Amino acid sequence: MLTPILHRKRKAAEAAARALKDDVGGAIEQTRRIYGTRLLVRGLLWASVYLLSRGLLELTIPSAPLRVAIALLPTPFFIYYLWTWMKGVSAMDELQRRIELEALGFAFPAAVVFLMTIGLLDLAVTLSPDDWSLHHVWLMLPLLYYVGLFRAKRRYE
Amino acid sequence: MKNRLKVLRAERDWSQQDLADKLSVSRQTINSIETEKYDPSLPLALKIGRLFDQSVEEIFTLEEAARRRAN
């Protein structure tokens, strides 16, 4: 009695896993077609400089101007990365642009809600800066964009 | 919006990728139009019409019009 149900459930799970694999594969292929390896290379460049900057800032550097310079070091690399992304958006077709728009349409309000909640929680209980300071919390913003991208892609598959 | 894109494509024995290449869009766009999850912009609809040598109304129909025609 239970076996056909389990069998159906397993089939459904396999189909969902295949769809997810196609989805991820399709997204990678689409990104590769639009950007080539530029986005990856510039993203890795920015991430490397960011990690270097973070590492250096954790050392004891007494000079405040030097610390500020190190803190600002990843910014041009990140702008370069964003510029590549924006150039890619202009090369996308209408559906892909709509998907990007829907992803941002999800990510922006979700980020506002998230930051507002963090702010209020911080007032309520004083959140630990080791876990909830800006240099951890910003990672949620690209994550929300990717959640939005995933949702939007699924809608049109 | 209903459309006959899949039928027209099949008549010419084109794959989704072939049609996507002819229209300079992604295969995903063709798939989403065929499965009626996405309605193309007017310029794209006109390009599709020109490619198949048919008017936009012959390819794309509002659902209520399609229902009326069926009744």
Side-chain angles (χ1 to χ4, degrees):
Chain A
M1 180 70 186
L2 206 59
T3 318
I5 298 170
L6 288 175
H7 186 68
R8 267 204 304 277
K9 280 194 170 181
R10 204 186 66 202
K11 286 266 180 201
E14 282 171 1
R18 263 198 311 275
L20 182 65
K21 198 176 158 194
D22 288 350
D23 216 34
V24 173
I28 292 170
E29 173 56 25
Q30 190 173 302
T31 307
R32 193 195 59 75
R33 198 160 43 78
I34 293 169
Y35 296 103
T37 53
R38 287 189 305 264
L39 195 69
L40 178 69
V41 169
R42 290 169 198 181
L44 286 174
L45 182 66
W46 159 69
S48 311
V49 177
Y50 173 78
L51 290 173
L52 175 73
S53 173
R54 278 209 63 162
L56 287 173
L57 288 171
E58 286 183 14
L59 300 174
T60 327
I61 299 170
S63 161
L66 184 58
R67 290 182 67 80
V68 170
I70 292 170
L72 294 177
L73 192 62
T75 307
F77 291 93
F78 189 56
I79 291 171
Y80 188 43
Y81 171 72
L82 279 186
W83 181 75
T84 308
W85 179 75
M86 287 189 291
K87 290 267 286 183
V89 171
S90 65
M92 289 175 179
D93 75 13
E94 56 184 57
L95 177 61
Q96 292 164 335
R97 280 189 204 167
R98 186 180 182 135
I99 287 171
E100 289 292 325
L101 181 67
E102 287 187 17
L104 292 171
F106 169 82
F108 180 71
V112 170
V113 169
F114 175 71
L115 291 175
M116 182 201 70
T117 308
I118 296 284
L120 288 175
L121 280 174
D122 196 35
L123 280 177
V125 293
T126 312
L127 299 171
S128 161
D130 289 339
D131 298 322
W132 295 103
S133 75
L134 276 176
H135 41 97
H136 299 298
V137 166
W138 75 269
L139 282 168
M140 279 303 290
L141 308 185
L143 186 68
L144 288 172
Y145 162 73
Y146 283 109
V147 172
L149 197 60
F150 179 76
R151 285 178 75 245
K153 275 180 184 295
R154 291 307 295 253
R155 176 196 277 235
Y156 294 105
E157 281 293 334
Chain B
M1 198 160 65
K2 297 266 171 210
N3 71 73
R4 297 173 46 237
L5 197 59
K6 193 171 183 175
V7 175
L8 292 169
R9 180 174 64 76
E11 280 171 2
R12 284 152 185 83
D13 205 18
W14 291 343
S15 67
Q16 286 187 339
Q17 190 61 57
D18 294 335
L19 181 56
D21 293 342
K22 287 176 200 297
L23 295 166
S24 305
V25 295
S26 63
R27 192 202 55 79
Q28 186 190 12
T29 301
I30 300 300
N31 185 54
S32 300
I33 296 171
E34 284 187 359
T35 52
E36 292 164 6
K37 289 178 180 167
Y38 175 66
D39 294 333
S41 67
L42 186 56
L44 181 55
L46 288 168
K47 273 173 87 174
I48 292 169
R50 191 187 297 167
L51 183 67
F52 289 112
D53 202 21
Q54 296 195 14
S55 69
V56 172
E57 292 91 334
E58 285 174 293
I59 303 173
F60 297 96
T61 331
L62 286 173
E63 272 182 66
E64 54 199 69
R67 257 202 309 273
R68 255 204 314 273
R69 206 173 295 164
N71 289 335

